[in-house]
């Protein structure tokens, strides 16, 4: 079910349908439309639905993230909005997959991070796609430095600060 009305998308999801919200700008107010958790996908325009169905050309992982879910599904996610609200909406959209769901994304960094993060419930794969990077893992107070070059990866296990 595809519609530009959040209310209609919510109603369709309650009926058990797969849903797509169309449009990022509210036609009446001009405000940015946030993706509701009931939307399985959110596209800019109706013609973008082909990409959701896998019938469009190649996609870029740095702009279109993928959710790997139960039943060997691979679902494109709405554009990332650089905030915790995006992750909260993602968690609500995909909560039925539980701990078995995975988000696949790609970032480009031009400088070192100035903070640490941890994923308490799931492992994270860090893949170096170009150049070289040094991954730091805090293993109970001992800092492990892992140098990755293009094509190499490392795993941040659940609960490991990095």
């Amino acid at each position: 079910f595809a519609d530009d009305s959040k209310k209609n998308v919510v109603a369709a999801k309650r009926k058990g349908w797969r849903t797509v919200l169309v449009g990022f700008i509210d036609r009446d107010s001009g405000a940015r439309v946030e993706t509701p958790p009931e939307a399985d996908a959110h596209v800019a325009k109706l013609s973008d639905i082909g990409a959701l169905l896998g019938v469009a050309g190649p996609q870029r992982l740095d702009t279109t993230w993928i959710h790997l879910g139960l039943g060997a599904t691979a679902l494109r996610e709405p554009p990332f909005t650089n905030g915790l609200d995006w992750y909260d909406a993602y968690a609500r959209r995909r909560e039925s997959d539980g701990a078995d769901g995975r988000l696949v994304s790609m970032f480009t960094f031009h400088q070192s991070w100035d903070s640490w993060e941890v994923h308490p419930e799931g492992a994270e794969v860090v893949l170096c796609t170009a150049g070289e990077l040094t991954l730091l893992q805090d293993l109970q107070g001992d800092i492990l430095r892992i140098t990755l070059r293009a094509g190499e990866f490392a795993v941040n296990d659940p609960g490991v600060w990095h």
Side-chain angles (χ1 to χ4, degrees):
F1 177 81
D3 202 299
D4 65 349
S5 164
K6 283 175 142 180
K7 185 187 299 183
N8 291 344
V9 166
V10 169
K13 180 51 78 174
R14 286 188 187 131
K15 294 209 174 273
W17 296 356
R18 299 217 30 210
T19 58
V20 178
L21 181 61
V22 180
F24 294 126
I25 305 298
D26 183 86
R27 65 177 178 232
D28 297 323
S29 70
R32 178 160 177 77
V33 175
E34 294 301 320
T35 307
E38 295 83 4
D40 293 307
H42 191 176
V43 296
K45 54 192 181 305
L46 195 56
S47 60
D48 292 339
I49 288 180
L52 297 173
L53 302 174
V55 295
Q59 302 288 304
R60 292 193 51 88
L61 191 55
D62 58 347
T63 58
T64 304
W65 295 358
I66 302 167
H67 172 78
L68 302 178
L70 299 179
T73 58
L75 304 169
R76 289 164 184 84
E77 289 297 323
F80 181 62
T81 56
N82 268 340
L84 292 178
D85 290 344
W86 188 96
Y87 289 106
D88 290 341
Y90 167 76
R92 289 189 303 272
R93 277 193 306 279
R94 306 299 177 210
E95 70 183 329
S96 63
D97 286 345
D100 292 325
R102 295 290 182 260
L103 180 63
V104 181
S105 60
M106 188 169 103
F107 294 91
T108 300
F109 298 101
H110 300 288
Q111 61 189 31
S112 295
W113 283 27
D114 60 0
S115 61
W116 292 74
E117 68 172 4
V118 65
H119 309 282
E121 297 181 25
E124 175 184 51
V125 175
V126 177
L127 169 67
C128 180
T129 58
E132 180 178 291
L133 66 88
T134 301
L135 173 66
L136 303 178
Q137 293 179 334
D138 184 343
L139 304 176
Q140 299 177 354
D142 292 323
I143 304 301
L144 177 62
R145 300 174 63 85
I146 304 169
T147 300
L148 301 175
R149 292 172 186 80
E152 297 178 333
F153 73 93
V155 175
N156 291 320
D157 289 326
V160 172
W161 284 91
H162 54 280

